[in-house]
Amino acid sequence: MRHDFGLWAPEAERVELLLGARLEDAGRVEMALAEGGWWRAEADASAHDDRYAFSVDGGIAVPDPRSRHQPDGVHAPSRLVDSSTFAWSDAGWRGVPMERAAVYELHVGTFTAEGTFEAAATRLDHLVGLGITVVELMPVAAFPGRHGWGYDGVAPYAVHDAYGGPEGLARFVDAAHAAGLAVWLDVVYNHLGPSGNYLAQAGPYFTDRYHTPWGDAVNLDGPGSDEVRAYLLDNVEMWLTDYHLDGLRLDAVHALHDERAVHLLEELAALADDVAARTGIPRSLVAESDRNDPSTVARRGPGGAGGLGLHGQWVDDVHHALHVLLTGETAGYYADFAEPGAIGKVLGRTPFFHDGTFSTFRGRSHGAAVDLSVTEPWRFVASLQTHDQVGNRAVGDRVHHGIPAGRHAIGAALLLTAPWTPMLFMGEEWAASTPWQYFTDHEEEWLAQSIREGRRAEFAEHGWAADVPDPQDAGTVAASTLDWDEPGRSPHAQMLAFYSTLLRWRARTPPEARGTTGELTREDDGTGGEVIVVTRPGVVVLARLGGEGALELPRPEGELLAAFPPLSDDGDDTTTGPERSSLSPDSVVVLTR
């Protein structure tokens, strides 16, 4: 079958289409320059196993920037994919709106021992039983090697072959929809990885007018940027339509430098809204942003609030305040969150601790205030753990690895009763014993060694004495893979039951009944610990951090929902009548009203 091949290479003088997996004996077809800097050629690639690549001005063969599949790796030829042939069974799927989202972030490669979409799909019943409504996949765009986090992807349109490729992703989404789960995908538009990035050889995809932590910025507003923006917009369209995805998490949008009157993010949000209108299924774009800027999710256009119109954004301040409360760590960016009022602010009044306040870590004022009467609280995605906050620690230790189980439960209760949309990181719900570490699979030894040395130097600067795991060691991946025997045995089963109880309550309780604000009080318990009480219109959390011995406290009005440690069958706290509660150190009781 003949196919119309195209490559945008506006500065090229000659482009050849190469057909075949073996470049040394590939068939060559001269391409013709068409309108807008596009080069075109028709050819039949079926005799070459549908493999193809391009050569610009006689240079090395490069994969298609819009490749849907890189079965032989990111340095090899691309393979044609016909997405219309997949037999979807989700015609009755109606989606999950943002306000009903309870998100579960997972990494396909370490979620199961097999590390594939197919294996991950066998665990969807676990997520349904837990009370999750949205699965958020970490990046699946093709990246070097077999193992990696995915943030060094270099083929934004291609689905990583080791996970199961394009059909594997489609089957996973179809299975998730059948189970009643929406699927979001983490996408990276602010940079490409260092190995296998051939975009610059085709056209002006990058610019040195701006600098990012990864080098030159993506060209969103300079000469040639119309096609670069179209490249990203078409990518969003592909994920939402061809793969039936319900949403995208946009990585580090503060690194998308765009001085145009209409920001790329606004265009992406409009596109997602258009797809939702056409299909009748909600489509959510959620930004990771370092700006603490409420305009990210403020409504756009006439009658709006002059915002970008994205549907949600991550809020790290909630994580930071919870982390400091539970662990006592105050180094680096955690320093400001040691302020006694920090936890009350982010759980009671605003998702942004820095809402125009001075940040000692940045050495300047940061953020802007959120008006929750205008912007719905569920637009802010909050967490106790994320891939970043766990994996970017020297040994990938999870927050519950260094604190009592009851203290972990306190953090879960404070998060899951808050008005923000909650997000869990895989394994958090059963207090997984496995760490989650940084790992790569680069074939270039100079790059692998550079990453090893860079991480060791970074953590040495922070006084970390322990050995930093080698990212290139297969044992690092194995250590980071979840152990699915744990959820069924003690003590993991008790934590899983606690999380599930709170998530199921959240699912059956509308946002207005949970309350959009709350009051948090902290008092010394007289034994070296403290008592925390969070009161909202629909729920009360009574917790004790640390301390010694049992502590008798007045019980707030309400019906017992959950407790950790679990209450004994003959204890007074199993009923709603007693006027007092007995709290042991690092314990929590949740009541509904």
Side-chain angles (χ1 to χ4, degrees):
M1 179 182 295
R2 296 185 71 79
H3 181 81
D4 181 19
F5 293 89
L7 177 72
W8 181 62
E11 299 169 358
E13 295 183 0
R14 178 190 178 206
V15 177
E16 287 182 297
L17 170 66
L18 310 181
L19 298 175
R22 290 170 49 86
L23 295 174
E24 58 271 23
D25 54 10
R28 292 178 176 266
V29 178
E30 289 284 343
M31 303 186 75
L33 180 60
E35 187 177 353
W38 280 86
W39 294 77
R40 302 285 183 186
E42 273 196 12
D44 185 352
S46 57
H48 305 276
D49 197 24
D50 287 333
R51 303 295 215 280
Y52 69 101
F54 300 105
S55 173
V56 178
D57 291 332
I60 63 170
V62 297
D64 185 355
R66 292 174 177 248
S67 168
R68 297 291 188 97
H69 194 194
Q70 293 294 127
D72 305 310
V74 297
H75 302 285
S78 305
R79 187 178 191 182
L80 292 174
V81 171
D82 184 357
S83 60
S84 66
T85 61
F86 183 77
W88 291 93
S89 64
D90 64 350
W93 174 245
R94 297 275 63 90
V96 175
M98 242 330 262
E99 58 266 32
R100 285 185 46 227
V103 187
Y104 190 93
E105 185 189 27
L106 70 85
H107 176 263
V108 176
T110 51
F111 185 57
T112 64
E114 298 84 352
T116 63
F117 294 120
E118 183 178 12
T122 66
R123 299 296 180 179
L124 292 175
D125 286 348
H126 167 84
L127 302 183
V128 173
L130 176 60
I132 293 298
T133 60
V134 176
V135 178
E136 181 178 307
L137 301 176
M138 287 177 60
V140 302
F143 56 82
R146 177 178 178 83
H147 305 293
W149 281 19
Y151 295 96
D152 54 358
V154 291
Y157 282 71
V159 180
H160 193 53
D161 186 70
Y163 292 166
E167 185 165 338
L169 174 59
R171 290 186 183 280
F172 177 85
V173 175
D174 202 44
H177 288 172
L181 295 167
V183 182
W184 296 351
L185 175 64
D186 197 338
V187 293
V188 183
Y189 294 146
N190 51 61
H191 75 286
L192 269 68
S195 176
N197 178 3
Y198 297 103
L199 282 186
Q201 297 187 36
Y205 284 91
F206 301 95
T207 176
D208 60 5
R209 294 173 59 235
Y210 310 106
H211 190 73
T212 77
W214 308 280
D216 288 348
V218 176
N219 176 24
L220 300 177
D221 58 9
S225 60
D226 285 355
E227 281 293 346
V228 178
R229 294 167 80 96
Y231 178 76
L232 300 178
L233 286 159
D234 290 349
N235 187 255
V236 169
E237 176 91 26
M238 180 197 74
W239 293 125
L240 298 184
T241 57
D242 292 357
Y243 289 99
H244 293 204
L245 286 164
D246 302 275
L248 302 173
R249 181 260 192 189
L250 309 176
D251 182 67
V253 300
H254 48 270
L256 293 172
H257 297 282
D258 183 6
E259 293 298 325
R260 295 202 192 194
V262 179
H263 197 283
L264 173 70
L265 292 174
E266 186 174 346
E267 289 194 73
L268 297 180
L271 173 60
D273 288 344
D274 179 62
V275 174
R278 282 189 271 125
T279 60
I281 299 171
R283 311 288 176 156
S284 302
L285 297 190
V286 179
E288 180 200 22
S289 175
D290 186 48
R291 292 195 181 103
N292 279 21
D293 183 358
S295 70
T296 303
V297 293
R299 292 177 177 83
R300 66 181 189 282
L308 296 173
L310 293 173
H311 309 91
Q313 67 173 301
W314 277 25
V315 284
D316 282 346
D317 286 11
V318 177
H319 168 274
H320 298 345
L322 285 169
H323 189 89
V324 171
L325 176 75
L326 300 177
T327 69
E329 292 184 15
T330 58
Y333 52 73
Y334 288 132
D336 289 339
F337 298 88
E339 181 180 317
I343 191 69
K345 184 175 181 179
V346 300
L347 291 181
R349 303 188 300 279
T350 172
F352 294 153
F353 174 69
H354 287 304
D355 54 1
T357 60
F358 187 81
S359 165
T360 59
F361 178 71
R362 296 175 178 84
R364 59 170 175 79
S365 298
H366 183 65
V370 177
D371 184 349
L372 293 179
S373 68
V374 175
T375 303
E376 300 90 338
W378 46 260
R379 294 193 182 277
F380 301 97
V381 179
S383 56
L384 180 61
Q385 302 185 45
T386 71
H387 77 273
D388 266 333
Q389 302 300 337
V390 175
N392 284 324
R393 295 173 68 83
V395 294
D397 50 318
R398 299 167 180 263
V399 68
H400 55 261
H401 289 170
I403 58 176
R407 193 165 293 200
H408 174 195
I410 292 171
L414 294 176
L415 173 71
L416 297 178
T417 58
W420 329 124
T421 291
M423 187 185 78
L424 280 57
F425 180 59
M426 62 178 197
E428 169 188 338
E429 72 274 20
W430 74 71
S433 64
T434 50
W436 202 73
Q437 299 169 339
Y438 183 71
F439 45 86
T440 57
D441 190 19
H442 293 297
E443 63 181 48
E444 302 94 339
E445 181 54 32
W446 67 267
L447 180 56
Q449 188 60 24
S450 175
I451 291 171
R452 292 187 192 102
E453 293 174 356
R455 287 186 67 80
R456 289 171 187 156
E458 176 186 356
F459 291 114
E461 288 179 4
H462 293 85
W464 191 270
D467 289 336
V468 179
D470 181 356
Q472 289 281 122
D473 189 339
T476 304
V477 181
S480 302
T481 301
L482 291 179
D483 178 358
W484 281 93
D485 288 335
E486 288 187 342
R489 64 175 188 254
S490 182
H492 305 284
Q494 288 79 10
M495 188 63 71
L496 177 60
F498 183 73
Y499 265 84
S500 184
T501 298
L502 293 178
L503 281 163
R504 289 199 302 268
W505 163 79
R506 190 178 182 97
R508 65 177 180 265
T509 308
E512 57 272 16
R514 297 195 298 264
T516 58
T517 58
E519 179 182 355
L520 183 147
T521 61
R522 301 175 67 175
E523 294 184 2
D524 192 304
D525 74 349
T527 71
E530 65 175 312
V531 174
I532 297 176
V533 181
V534 179
T535 306
R536 302 189 190 282
V539 66
V540 178
V541 177
L542 178 63
R544 185 182 180 203
L545 276 173
E548 296 180 6
L551 183 66
E552 294 289 328
L553 295 169
R555 165 177 268 184
E557 293 184 4
E559 180 179 351
L560 179 67
L561 174 65
F564 197 95
L567 301 172
S568 60
D569 292 337
D570 56 356
D572 286 343
D573 277 339
T574 59
T575 66
T576 58
E579 297 180 353
R580 301 186 70 78
S581 295
S582 178
L583 288 183
S584 59
D586 292 311
S587 62
V588 59
V589 174
V590 182
L591 305 104
T592 57
R593 306 196 299 176

